[in-house]
């Protein structure tokens, strides 16, 4: 049976982890490579780096981090943030990323998803959708961390990226992101029902129960979380044991 | 020992290189190349494959003499070869991804889209799934039945002769996820991305 994945996400800014795990044994709490290794050793099913570096000139920094991490972590590695061109994808994959996540560039022109999946295969193309609720049962795609409204219906867009060859959708609720109040389960449910590719739930996890809700109520194939795994609040292992105790199948 | 990872521009093979490098450290001389001479002189070959069946077959064919060399190595000379993902799928006679495409024809069978029961099962099949070992296999030495391996694929290899199947995994039906026939090995899952247990599969292959 296919297991539900738990994916810790590390936000990386100018080569440093923002809000990292604050373990005493860490030599350097800001080192993304060391943090990724801890997650991987702790049973993470996949690791996600989100490069939130504002400037475009620093691409080499994230590539270097990916290169070092890929030599130490032998679980899938997804990298997102600032992926705008085929060359960006090539560089990340060559450095050792297994998947790249495309956000703004997909919203600007969905044919970029098609081009990328044709060139590299759907298996490594994740489209990250940032959605905000605009009225009852209606969500809209936003870009730039939720600042820019696009007028695009999130459900329609999800179907569109699937048609264009995306292998997975990383769905973040901008209403919930950073609130620790749980995933937007309604949004998840509608997108997982309307698409046939795996959906990774993101945005809002504050408790282990929220992970359960994302999988069981929202239908997500994987759950991504950042802050609950930071500062050692919960270990990956705790999350898996908790889910397992509630009959959600995970890789133990 | 010389082990060659065949680099035929089949997409992203960085992870295969990283994992084999990790396991081979100090034990095995690892080459990543499409150089026919080097392939001929190696002791073992790893044939990775990402992207579609058609794109991988096309890339193999685009390198002059590569297909013949691989055939001589694995079929005529019966030296160990491990195919990973589409690398395994290409052992078949034919694949149906993108367009009907002739495979290497080493193990009779076909590669078709997984029957996902009208959307009941999402495709690609992405994530960790348990393998059910069907027969003793050299690359599964010290690997427990129901170990978790990492998968990412939408197509499955269906061999004509079920005796080549060394493991299956459950996803809408029993999907063939490993084959072994004499010196020929293949995994549909990615040992290079399957954590310590995957590295063990690689180690087993390198130790053959």
């Amino acid at each position: 049976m296919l297991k539900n994945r738990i994916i810790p996400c590390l936000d990386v800014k100018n080569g440093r982890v923002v809000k990292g795990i604050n373990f005493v044994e860490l030599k350097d709490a800001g080192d993304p490579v060391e943090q990724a290794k801890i997650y991987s050793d702790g049973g993470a099913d996949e690791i996600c780096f989100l490069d939130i570096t504002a400037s475009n000139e620093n691409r080499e920094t994230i590539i270097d981090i990916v290169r070092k991490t890929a030599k130490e972590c032998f679980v899938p590695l997804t990298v997102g943030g600032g992926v705008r061109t085929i060359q960006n994808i090539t560089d990340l994959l060559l450095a050792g990323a297994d998947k790249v996540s495309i956000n703004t560039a997909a919203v600007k022109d969905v044919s970029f998803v098609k081009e990328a999946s044709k060139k590299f295969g759907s298996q490594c193309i994740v489209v990250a959708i940032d959605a905000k609720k605009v009225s009852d049962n209606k969500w809209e795609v936003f870009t730039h961390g939720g600042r820019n409204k696009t007028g695009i219906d999130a459900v329609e867009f999800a179907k569109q990226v699937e048609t264009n060859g995306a292998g997975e959708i990383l769905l973040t609720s901008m209403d919930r992101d950073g609130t620790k109040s749980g995933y937007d389960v309604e949004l998840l449910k509608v997108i997982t029902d309307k698409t046939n590719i795996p959906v990774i739930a993101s945005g809002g996890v504050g408790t282990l129960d929220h992970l359960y809700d994302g999988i069981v109520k929202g239908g997500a194939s994987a759950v991504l979380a950042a802050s609950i795994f930071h500062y050692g609040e919960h270990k990956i292992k705790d999350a898996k044991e908790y889910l397992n105790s509630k009959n959600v199948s995970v890789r133990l | 020992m010389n082990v060659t990872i065949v680099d035929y521009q089949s997409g992203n093979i960085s992870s295969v290189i990283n994992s084999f490098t990790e396991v081979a450290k100090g034990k095995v001389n690892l080459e990543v190349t499409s150089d026919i001479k080097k392939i001929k002189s190696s002791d073992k070959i790893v044939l990775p494959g990402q992207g579609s069946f058609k794109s991988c077959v096309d890339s193999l064919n685009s390198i002059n003499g590569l297909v013949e060399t691989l055939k001589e190595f694995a079929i005529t000379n019966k030296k160990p070869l491990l195919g990973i993902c589409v690398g395994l799928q290409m052992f078949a006679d034919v694949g149906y991804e993108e367009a009907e495409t002739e495979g290497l024809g080493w193990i009779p069978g076909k590669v078709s889209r997984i029957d996902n029961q009208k959307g009941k099962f999402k495709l690609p099949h992405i994530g960790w799934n348990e393998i059910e070992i069907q027969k003793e296999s050299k690359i599964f030495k010290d690997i427990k039945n129901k170990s978790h391996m990492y998968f990412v694929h939408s197509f499955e290899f269906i061999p004509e002769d079920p005796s080549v199947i060394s493991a299956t995994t459950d996803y809408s039906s029993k999907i063939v996820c490993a084959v072994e026939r004499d010196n020929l090995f293949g995994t549909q899952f990615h040992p290079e991305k399957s954590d310590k247990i995957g590295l063990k599969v690689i180690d087993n292959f390198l130790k053959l």
Side-chain angles (χ1 to χ4, degrees):
Chain A
M1 191 189 191
L2 183 65
K3 301 303 159 80
N4 298 287
R5 283 168 286 155
I6 309 229
I7 310 175
C9 181
L10 289 163
D11 290 353
V12 178
K13 193 175 184 181
N14 297 316
R16 306 285 294 169
V17 175
V18 184
K19 295 184 292 184
I21 324 166
N22 198 11
F23 290 147
V24 279
E25 67 263 37
L26 270 185
K27 283 188 219 98
D28 175 1
D31 178 12
V33 183
E34 202 177 342
Q35 303 246 355
K37 181 86 170 95
I38 288 177
Y39 282 144
S40 151
D41 288 345
D45 294 312
E46 214 170 298
I47 287 164
C48 180
F49 280 139
L50 182 64
D51 184 15
I52 53 170
T53 308
S55 74
N56 217 350
E57 295 88 63
N58 276 334
R59 296 289 315 158
E60 202 45 53
T61 315
I62 188 76
I63 287 164
D64 189 47
I65 290 166
V66 170
R67 194 177 291 125
K68 287 178 182 151
T69 307
K71 287 193 168 73
E72 295 196 32
C73 298
F74 304 101
V75 297
L77 180 59
T78 304
V79 186
V83 177
R84 294 184 181 89
T85 63
I86 291 291
Q87 189 59 48
N88 290 155
I89 302 176
T90 306
D91 292 344
L92 288 169
L93 294 179
L94 280 177
D98 297 288
K99 311 183 210 177
V100 294
S101 128
I102 305 170
N103 184 328
T104 309
V107 178
K108 269 191 189 154
D109 179 10
V110 79
S111 71
F112 179 58
V113 177
K114 192 172 198 162
E115 193 191 347
S117 61
K118 218 169 160 49
K119 183 159 173 67
F120 305 103
S122 293
Q123 84 287 340
C124 63
I125 304 300
V126 180
V127 173
I129 303 177
D130 293 345
K132 228 178 196 174
K133 193 166 187 172
V134 285
S135 60
D136 273 355
N137 295 314
K138 204 168 163 50
W139 290 265
E140 210 176 290
V141 177
F142 278 70
T143 59
H144 300 84
R147 290 193 302 276
N148 295 11
K149 198 173 153 73
T150 65
I152 300 167
D153 181 74
V155 180
E156 286 312 310
F157 185 63
K159 288 199 249 176
Q160 224 184 344
V161 300
E162 176 181 2
T163 316
N164 280 276
E168 275 178 295
I169 290 168
L170 168 54
L171 182 62
T172 305
S173 159
M174 298 316 288
D175 300 307
R176 300 300 180 91
D177 203 28
T179 64
K180 294 198 160 206
S181 60
Y183 296 121
D184 183 342
V185 171
E186 271 187 329
L187 166 68
L188 269 173
K189 184 84 183 101
V190 60
I191 303 255
T192 54
D193 280 348
K194 296 281 164 90
T195 55
N196 286 311
I197 53 176
V199 174
I200 304 164
S202 156
V205 177
T207 67
L208 298 181
D209 252 331
H210 294 151
L211 301 176
Y212 174 88
D213 290 345
I215 295 165
V216 176
K217 297 182 184 159
S221 302
V223 282
L224 180 138
S227 49
I228 64 156
F229 297 126
H230 295 155
Y231 308 113
E233 228 174 283
H234 291 285
K235 290 191 171 167
I236 306 276
K237 193 165 161 273
D238 304 335
K240 288 189 162 184
E241 277 167 1
Y242 178 76
L243 290 171
N244 187 53
S245 74
K246 297 193 81 176
N247 291 320
V248 175
S249 58
V250 288
R251 176 179 70 115
L252 283 172
Chain B
M1 191 198 321
N2 294 309
V3 177
T4 299
I5 297 173
V6 185
D7 178 11
Y8 59 104
Q9 309 297 313
S10 70
N12 180 25
I13 62 167
S14 310
S15 290
V16 174
I17 298 170
N18 281 328
S19 299
F20 273 80
T21 306
E22 172 75 12
V23 181
K25 238 185 249 169
K27 293 182 253 178
V28 172
N29 180 29
L30 205 62
E31 285 267 7
V32 182
T33 183
S34 61
D35 185 306
I36 302 286
K37 265 193 215 150
K38 283 187 178 157
I39 292 173
K40 275 186 177 167
S41 68
S42 46
D43 301 298
K44 279 173 196 163
I45 283 178
V46 182
L47 185 63
Q50 274 211 356
S52 74
F53 186 95
K54 186 180 183 300
S55 68
C56 285
V57 169
D58 287 349
S59 304
L60 268 191
N61 284 326
S62 71
I63 298 170
N64 212 354
L66 183 57
V67 170
E68 295 73 16
T69 304
L70 292 174
K71 191 175 178 186
E72 189 185 292
F73 185 95
I75 305 299
T76 315
N77 298 336
K78 292 196 178 301
K79 286 160 91 175
L81 182 142
L82 171 66
I84 300 175
C85 197
V86 184
L88 151 74
Q89 294 180 359
M90 288 191 297
F91 293 174
D93 299 310
V94 62
Y96 296 97
E97 191 170 1
E98 272 189 68
E100 186 172 327
T101 309
E102 201 181 315
L104 294 166
W106 294 349
I107 298 183
K110 61 177 182 178
V111 175
S112 337
R113 197 175 170 80
I114 296 169
D115 175 11
N116 69 339
Q117 302 176 16
K118 296 195 170 110
K120 204 176 142 202
F121 290 84
K122 304 234 168 193
L123 286 182
H125 171 219
I126 298 185
W128 297 81
N129 208 333
E130 289 165 354
I131 61 163
E132 287 166 38
I133 296 176
Q134 302 294 330
K135 68 168 183 183
E136 203 174 303
S137 168
K138 288 170 199 151
I139 60 168
F140 293 151
K141 189 175 176 283
D142 297 329
I143 287 181
K144 287 198 185 101
N145 192 32
K146 307 244 175 205
S147 288
H148 288 101
M149 299 291 180
Y150 185 77
F151 288 83
V152 46
H153 64 126
S154 299
F155 283 72
E156 58 171 328
F157 176 39
I158 306 169
E160 280 172 18
D161 174 8
S163 77
V164 300
I165 300 168
S166 53
T168 57
T169 192
D170 202 1
Y171 195 68
S172 85
S173 66
K174 298 269 182 211
I175 290 173
V176 174
C177 73
V179 298
E180 175 174 336
R181 195 192 66 197
D182 307 321
N183 56 308
L184 212 49
F185 303 87
T187 63
Q188 178 60 65
F189 57 82
H190 290 269
E192 78 278 12
K193 286 280 109 183
S194 298
D195 215 343
K196 292 179 190 76
I197 199 86
L199 298 184
K200 179 70 192 150
V201 173
I202 293 173
D203 189 48
N204 284 338
F205 177 71
L206 293 179
K207 276 185 180 151
L208 282 178

